[in-house]
Amino acid sequence: MSKSVTINKAVCPIVAMSPPHKFRTSPSSHSPSYKEMGELSPRRAPRVLVVDDNPDTMMLMRELLGTRGYQVVGVPDAAQAESEIRRELPDLILSDVVMPGKSGYELCREVKDNPATRLIPFVLITGLSDREDKLRGIEAGADDFLNKPIFSEELFARVKSLLKLKEFTDELETAESVLCTLGLSVESRDPYTEGHCERLAENASNLGRHLGLSEESIVALRRGGYLHDLGKIAVPDEILKKGKNLTEEEWTIMKQHPVTGENICRPLKSLRLVLPIIRNHHEHSDGSGYPDGLQKAEIPLLPRVLQVADVYDALRTARPYKPALSHEHAAFTMRQEARGGLWDQELVAEFLSMLDKQRRVA
């Protein structure tokens, strides 16, 4: 594709949090009822992008969908569709298959391969009826098909169903964004850990890519970088900022944060691969970690991957009780600790090998 469809490649987007406001906990006698108030803010009309080089088909689609209140944008080819997607993400794409330039199959594949756009429902509209044509569409990632000639009721039913699915997806993404923001708010309580989550997300996902893990696992590692210490939101400041020499009672409280973080994130099924990262990133290969005292292969792979990047960042960062180590000193310490049974020796070796390659390229 000559122009890649790049909008925002952040896997774990961060939303701005408004300052807290004081709200009335019970309605006054003069307050309108909730039914009278209606929705607090009107919903934006769903945005549908129609890609078709036939002006008659384009006009028909715009008129039909416009009668149902949708915001319809029409373009005649894939190149203009890419520009429109970059300008503003649509909620649904309806695309012809045979067009000048890139085909609908190619446009669909590019949209679905891009993490920023892959969750946008994509419908292929075609007059082709061969089984192979439909298989090509499925392989490209199409969510649905419409055959020409287009019947209005079928169009409305497909569009309504896919937009409802997109609405649910958006709600999940918003929930994940709020959790990521909470993770950063925990980090902000300690000025010595500034930027830790972002560095950890980057290094852990890079290590996952270096190891040849699936894209799903790489996304989980990136999210885990932001969410791994979310449970520290329940740890008091005087314990969190103390850093070392915790009393037995304080240490008991601190060791609960992986379980607390897991419980906060558990309701979101989309975070299922992140939950073991949150719970087990403080386990040690020799069984001396917490909260479950797991050993070696009992610790799932993704937490072991993330903890290697986590240890490196901790060693390279200055804290009130220690200076920042050089890369060489940090690498030496990690190898020593891995041989002593704290970390996965193979993963430590792979991580340091990856960093060495990055340094040579730079």
Side-chain angles (χ1 to χ4, degrees):
M1 200 166 182
S2 57
K3 286 185 179 179
S4 61
V5 185
T6 54
I7 315 300
N8 176 7
K9 291 195 175 180
V11 175
C12 195
I14 309 303
V15 296
M17 300 285 282
S18 301
H21 298 281
K22 290 185 178 179
F23 292 99
R24 201 181 277 276
T25 55
S26 59
S28 70
S29 57
H30 301 292
S31 299
S33 69
Y34 289 118
K35 286 186 178 181
E36 291 170 334
M37 289 167 67
E39 290 193 29
L40 295 179
S41 58
R43 291 194 178 196
R44 175 183 63 84
R47 188 168 184 269
V48 180
L49 176 61
V50 179
V51 191
D52 199 309
D53 63 318
N54 186 318
D56 293 333
T57 304
M58 177 74 70
M59 184 179 297
L60 173 65
M61 300 281 278
R62 295 184 74 154
E63 288 181 357
L64 286 173
L65 294 172
T67 63
R68 294 299 174 99
Y70 301 124
Q71 177 191 353
V72 185
V73 178
V75 294
D77 54 47
Q80 292 187 52
E82 293 163 20
S83 298
E84 196 61 40
I85 292 168
R86 284 193 295 272
R87 190 180 71 81
E88 184 179 353
L89 287 177
D91 297 298
L92 174 67
I93 299 173
L94 302 169
S95 176
D96 192 16
V97 170
V98 181
M99 299 181 292
K102 292 188 183 73
S103 69
Y105 298 131
E106 293 172 289
L107 177 61
C108 180
R109 184 173 290 106
E110 293 292 341
V111 168
K112 292 300 183 179
D113 284 347
N114 189 333
T117 57
R118 64 184 177 186
L119 295 180
I120 299 173
F122 200 111
V123 179
L124 286 171
I125 303 171
T126 178
L128 305 174
S129 56
D130 287 351
R131 181 170 172 269
E132 287 186 9
D133 294 318
K134 214 157 206 180
L135 285 175
R136 283 187 66 190
I138 293 171
E139 289 170 356
D143 297 279
D144 209 341
F145 299 87
L146 276 173
N147 292 321
K148 295 179 180 179
I150 296 168
F151 295 97
S152 59
E153 291 309 314
E154 183 181 8
L155 172 67
F156 294 147
R158 302 281 176 90
V159 168
K160 182 179 179 181
S161 173
L162 288 170
L163 285 174
K164 178 60 68 176
L165 180 63
K166 179 64 165 57
E167 184 182 330
F168 291 149
T169 302
D170 288 346
E171 288 175 358
L172 285 175
E173 287 191 315
T174 300
E176 289 179 12
S177 297
V178 170
L179 288 177
C180 287
T181 304
L182 284 174
L184 289 177
S185 73
V186 171
E187 176 188 274
S188 70
R189 292 165 66 191
D190 184 352
Y192 290 94
T193 60
E194 182 180 0
H196 170 67
C197 286
E198 189 173 349
R199 292 191 301 270
L200 182 53
E202 186 71 16
N203 279 334
S205 57
N206 283 344
L207 179 55
R209 201 169 285 110
H210 173 79
L211 295 169
L213 301 185
S214 67
E215 185 61 31
E216 193 177 28
S217 295
I218 293 167
V219 169
L221 286 167
R222 187 166 186 84
R223 288 173 174 164
Y226 289 101
L227 297 172
H228 68 293
D229 276 341
L230 180 61
K232 286 184 178 178
I233 199 167
V235 178
D237 276 356
E238 57 269 24
I239 298 176
L240 193 62
K241 295 179 180 180
K242 193 172 181 180
K244 58 183 295 189
N245 298 324
L246 297 178
T247 66
E248 187 174 340
E249 184 180 352
E250 290 170 337
W251 188 236
T252 299
I253 293 171
M254 177 63 84
K255 287 198 293 187
Q256 285 302 307
H257 83 265
V259 178
T260 303
E262 180 191 34
N263 288 337
I264 292 172
C265 295
R266 192 189 303 279
L268 282 180
K269 291 183 179 179
S270 58
L271 296 179
R272 69 190 187 285
L273 292 182
V274 185
L275 296 182
I277 296 175
I278 296 171
R279 184 180 183 96
N280 299 132
H281 71 280
H282 281 298
E283 300 288 355
H284 295 162
S285 291
D286 62 4
S288 63
Y290 62 89
D292 302 313
L294 302 180
Q295 297 181 15
K296 296 183 178 179
E298 291 177 344
I299 308 170
L301 175 61
L302 295 186
R304 281 185 279 141
V305 170
L306 183 122
Q307 69 180 191
V308 168
D310 194 11
V311 170
Y312 179 78
D313 194 73
L315 292 172
R316 297 277 283 131
T317 306
R319 299 291 168 87
Y321 49 88
K322 75 167 191 69
L325 301 185
S326 67
H327 166 75
E328 290 73 19
H329 194 174
F332 175 79
T333 302
M334 288 179 70
R335 289 191 182 100
Q336 258 194 335
E337 291 180 343
R339 283 194 294 269
L342 289 183
W343 324 120
D344 186 312
Q345 289 193 62
E346 185 179 350
L347 290 179
V348 167
E350 290 291 345
F351 179 70
L352 296 176
S353 171
M354 179 193 77
L355 292 184
D356 287 341
K357 286 181 182 177
Q358 290 176 351
R359 286 153 68 92
R360 286 197 298 271
V361 171

